[in-house]
Amino acid sequence: MKIHEYQAKEIFAKYGVPIPEGRVARTPDEAATIAQEIGKTVVVKAQVHTGGRGKAGGIKLAKTPDEARDAATQILGMDIKGLIVQEVLVEVAADIKEEYYLGITTDRAARRNIVMVSASGGMDIEEVAANEPEKLAKLHLDPAIGLQDFQIRNLAYDAKLPPVAAKGIGSFLKALYKVYADYDCTLAEINPLILTGDGQLIAADAKFDMDDNALFRHKEMAVFQEAQEEDPIEAEAHKRGLTYVRLDGDIGIIGNGAGLVMTTLDVVQREGGRPANFLDIGGGAKAEVVRTAVDTVLLDKNVKGIFFNIFGGITRGDEVAKGLLEAMSSLNIQVPIVVRLTGTRAAEGLALLEGSALTPAATMQEGAQKIVALTRNAA
Ligand code: GDP
Ligand code: MN
């Protein structure tokens, strides 16, 4: 679960992390009032669960309460990466001299938490990691030992932080690690941590992601859980009662049973494709569910083809085929669909599909190869 910057900042503040003075507003007038109370130049920041708000125009400086009202008018209702801005944070604008990056996340491959520090903060840290990896100092943590002072000094040295920052990041990193551990986070980040003109360090942005499986241990966080945090297609899929997870590839995957769908993702990946989603239509799915599943997968405009992998137990092949034919006739489908049907009434299902635009496959692997070939041609 993601929470908003202002919510994360409230929590960081409780852990002693200095943050700019400010409050959240839901209307332009509220933003003006807050700016009035602050009495200095403020920054008005869109509160949405995504980064890159600055680039999207979701962060604006305002010298007066009137300017803050105008900025809030522009930002509230803005669409940032498919998320509509409903709140803005109005806080004292920082006098930024330098921007640094501090983050802790779970490194699954290493089975450890990893701390990262960079003198190139403010920008997209994934870009720094990809293009200038030497600028990102990293350290894996032993959970039994936690984060020690000597490790913090090493990180500051490796990241080539200037002395004032090297000296100051210790308290920030310790608080960050404490928040990360206390809240069962998968990510806790301060980007940017800024050095002001008068030599102060302050967290200008704050972000953390909690492990959903640990939410039962943090009942007080339930208030932060909003439909807004979900990907819009995932939210729509869940409304339609589907078990759907969006991924970042271009091949839509639909199957019955979580194990089969996960295997299908792996096989498509192994054949060189990139799955766009996980979608399990479950056992015994009727034609209407099949149609809805196809429609949902196609909400993702990256999808260049769909691989349907059905192992019929209680799910009947002829029902699936009917659903697919209904989908073909009622939806305007522009992408290739490969179908592998096996098990209960598979023969009847395949007979129904004969003569349609669907491409049959005898096995999962053949299906994966076919959809990868078909979508590659489409690119
Ligand atoms: P993100 O892009 O969504 O991660 O939003 P951030 O809160 O990290 O802000 C992005 C950038 O906006 C920062 O790196 C700064 O360059 C700029 N910015 C944010 N807050 C302030 C501020 O108070 N004053 C000034 N001058 N710039 C700011
Ligand atoms: Mn940021």
Side-chain angles (χ1 to χ4, degrees):
M1 179 180 90
K2 291 190 173 97
I3 64 172
H4 288 305
E5 173 189 5
Y6 75 92
Q7 296 161 338
K9 278 180 168 167
E10 272 171 32
I11 290 168
F12 280 134
K14 285 196 195 132
Y15 281 71
V17 172
I19 56 164
E21 174 197 350
R23 276 200 292 129
V24 73
R26 303 192 122 249
T27 65
D29 282 342
E30 254 183 277
T33 307
I34 298 168
Q36 179 82 46
E37 284 166 17
I38 291 176
K40 295 179 196 157
T41 298
V42 294
V43 59
V44 181
K45 307 179 76 177
Q47 298 299 290
V48 279
H49 290 133
T50 177
R53 295 166 301 165
K55 271 187 217 157
I59 298 181
K60 294 189 194 304
L61 287 172
K63 292 202 192 76
T64 64
D66 280 341
E67 281 185 25
R69 182 184 292 108
D70 289 347
T73 306
Q74 287 175 48
I75 296 172
L76 288 164
M78 192 181 260
D79 179 324
I80 302 183
K81 299 182 188 166
L83 301 171
I84 305 298
V85 182
Q86 281 160 355
E87 296 171 314
V88 289
L89 173 62
V90 181
E91 62 177 22
V92 180
D95 161 27
I96 300 182
K97 192 167 155 227
E98 290 192 38
E99 304 188 63
Y100 312 116
Y101 171 90
L102 304 181
I104 304 180
T105 190
T106 314
D107 181 346
R108 287 171 187 273
R111 289 179 284 175
R112 288 282 161 101
N113 292 317
I114 183 168
V115 187
M116 293 168 290
V117 175
S118 176
S120 305
M123 51 185 96
D124 201 345
I125 200 65
E126 281 83 4
E127 244 168 64
V128 176
N131 302 328
E132 305 168 288
E134 71 286 354
K135 290 196 175 162
L136 188 64
K138 297 182 195 173
L139 178 77
H140 286 104
L141 295 179
D142 183 324
I145 298 173
L147 180 59
Q148 301 293 316
D149 288 334
F150 77 92
Q151 295 174 314
I152 293 171
R153 286 192 293 273
N154 283 345
L155 280 163
Y157 179 83
D158 289 346
K160 301 190 177 65
L161 293 186
V164 51
K167 224 172 138 204
I169 60 162
S171 61
F172 286 87
L173 278 179
K174 282 183 188 170
L176 195 65
Y177 184 57
K178 193 141 182 19
V179 167
Y180 181 86
D182 287 356
Y183 284 87
D184 294 307
C185 292
T186 52
L187 173 77
E189 215 175 59
I190 298 177
N191 183 29
L193 169 72
I194 57 172
L195 179 66
T196 63
D198 56 2
Q200 305 292 312
L201 286 173
I202 184 162
D205 189 15
K207 182 167 168 183
F208 77 77
D209 237 337
M210 291 174 70
D211 183 343
D212 289 348
N213 296 308
L215 284 178
F216 74 98
R217 305 210 292 192
H218 307 279
K219 298 254 160 34
E220 77 286 2
M221 301 299 282
V223 291
F224 294 152
Q225 206 163 13
E226 309 164 33
Q228 207 205 117
E229 79 169 74
E230 285 186 77
D231 175 280
I233 298 178
E234 285 188 0
E236 179 58 29
H238 297 164
K239 226 188 286 169
R240 296 177 179 182
L242 296 170
T243 309
Y244 171 98
V245 179
R246 193 170 179 190
L247 304 170
D248 58 9
D250 54 14
I251 297 177
I253 307 287
I254 301 173
N256 62 323
L260 181 67
V261 178
M262 285 197 279
T263 308
T264 311
L265 299 179
D266 286 349
V267 172
V268 165
Q269 188 98 32
R270 199 169 60 194
E271 295 300 336
R274 289 177 54 241
N277 68 274
F278 170 103
L279 201 173
D280 171 16
I281 56 170
K286 291 277 184 274
E288 177 54 25
V289 174
V290 172
R291 201 194 83 91
T292 308
V294 173
D295 185 44
T296 305
V297 164
L298 290 173
L299 291 175
D300 182 348
K301 296 302 163 214
N302 296 327
V303 169
K304 289 196 278 191
I306 300 177
F307 180 24
F308 231 93
N309 190 11
I310 300 296
F311 188 94
I314 33 177
T315 307
R316 289 169 36 173
D318 53 342
E319 274 292 327
V320 171
K322 267 190 230 155
L324 277 169
L325 292 172
E326 272 171 41
M328 296 295 280
S329 64
S330 63
L331 307 169
N332 177 24
I333 298 178
Q334 309 278 0
V335 302
I337 300 185
V338 172
V339 185
R340 180 249 186 166
L341 270 183
T342 187
T344 311
R345 300 220 192 198
E348 288 89 335
L350 288 171
L352 282 172
L353 295 180
E354 235 161 73
S356 74
L358 303 163
T359 307
T363 66
M364 168 153 41
Q365 186 162 10
E366 185 192 313
Q369 284 163 353
K370 283 187 168 167
I371 195 66
V372 169
L374 285 167
T375 50
R376 216 168 258 155
N377 293 342

